């Protein structure tokens, strides 16, 4: 029952999940990804981490990053968190059944590779999105490096 008679008492449908992204995990991921991007990328890279609801936890960009790359990194992180699947994998699923991104009903969702879902003990904690790298699945590989740096 989700009806409460006392506004000070949390009820089951309002309780905050016990698992969430911690500051140190987010910072470790951001540092690992940005260090790698700065050392190896020929193009400006943008990185975003969102919580399970798709709300921003952290964002970083290299100098001269295009507006599109900035926005797309955020969309990739959001997509992974909201859908509970890496954005490129979701894109493959949609292609296999003949659907497009517009049929998803959420204008922030993208099917481009580079969004990685953050899961711990079966709970979705958020998503990591990377944009701007050249090469097949390069954005996703960098996002996975960030996920590994979180030490989940």
């Amino acid at each position: 029952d989700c009806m409460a008679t006392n506004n000070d008492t949390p009820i089951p449908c309002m309780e905050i999940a016990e698992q969430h992204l911690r500051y140190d995990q987010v910072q470790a991921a951001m540092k690992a990804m940005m260090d790698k991007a700065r050392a190896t990328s020929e193009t400006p890279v943008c990185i975003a981490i969102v919580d399970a609801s798709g709300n921003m936890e952290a964002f970083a960009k290299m100098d001269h990053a295009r507006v599109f790359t900035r926005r797309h990194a955020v969309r990739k992180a959001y997509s992974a968190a909201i859908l509970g699947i890496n954005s490129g994998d979701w894109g493959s699923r949609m292609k296999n059944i003949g659907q497009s991104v517009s049929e998803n009903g959420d204008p922030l969702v993208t099917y481009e590779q580079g969004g990685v879902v953050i899961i711990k003990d079966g709970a979705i904690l958020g998503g990591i999105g990377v944009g701007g790298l050249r090469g097949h699945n390069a954005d996703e590989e960098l996002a996975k490096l960030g996920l590994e740096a979180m030490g989940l």
Side-chain angles (χ1 to χ4, degrees):
D1 183 18
C2 285
M3 300 302 291
T5 56
N6 181 344
N7 290 336
D8 295 332
T9 305
I11 53 177
C13 64
M14 294 176 56
E15 290 181 12
I16 297 173
E18 290 184 25
Q19 297 187 58
H20 56 276
L21 294 173
R22 294 191 330 259
Y23 175 82
D24 61 313
Q25 293 168 328
V26 171
Q27 292 305 305
M30 294 299 287
K31 180 175 179 358
M33 291 185 290
M34 192 52 77
D35 286 352
K36 176 78 171 181
R38 292 182 67 193
T40 61
S41 182
E42 300 172 5
T43 56
V45 174
C46 297
I47 300 166
I49 298 178
V50 301
D51 67 14
S53 298
N55 296 313
M56 188 70 68
E57 289 282 331
F59 178 84
K61 69 174 187 65
M62 291 172 65
D63 294 341
H64 311 294
R66 296 176 27 220
V67 171
F68 176 81
T69 304
R70 297 174 198 189
R71 290 180 183 164
H72 219 49
V74 174
R75 289 178 65 203
K76 290 175 182 184
Y78 172 88
S79 299
I82 295 300
L83 299 172
I85 185 173
N86 293 353
S87 58
D89 294 341
W90 183 253
S92 296
R93 284 187 183 182
M94 292 299 98
K95 184 178 180 182
N96 288 340
I97 61 171
Q99 290 191 348
S100 71
V101 70
S102 63
E103 294 171 280
N104 201 60
D106 186 334
L108 294 179
V109 169
T110 183
Y111 296 165
E112 294 295 321
Q113 64 82 26
V116 172
V117 64
I118 305 167
I119 298 176
K120 181 178 179 185
D121 300 330
I124 297 170
L125 304 183
I128 300 172
V130 175
L133 287 169
R134 290 185 181 153
H136 184 67
N137 289 335
D139 290 341
E140 183 170 313
E141 290 170 12
L142 187 59
K144 287 179 177 178
L145 176 74
L147 180 62
E148 184 178 317
M150 287 183 159
L152 301 174

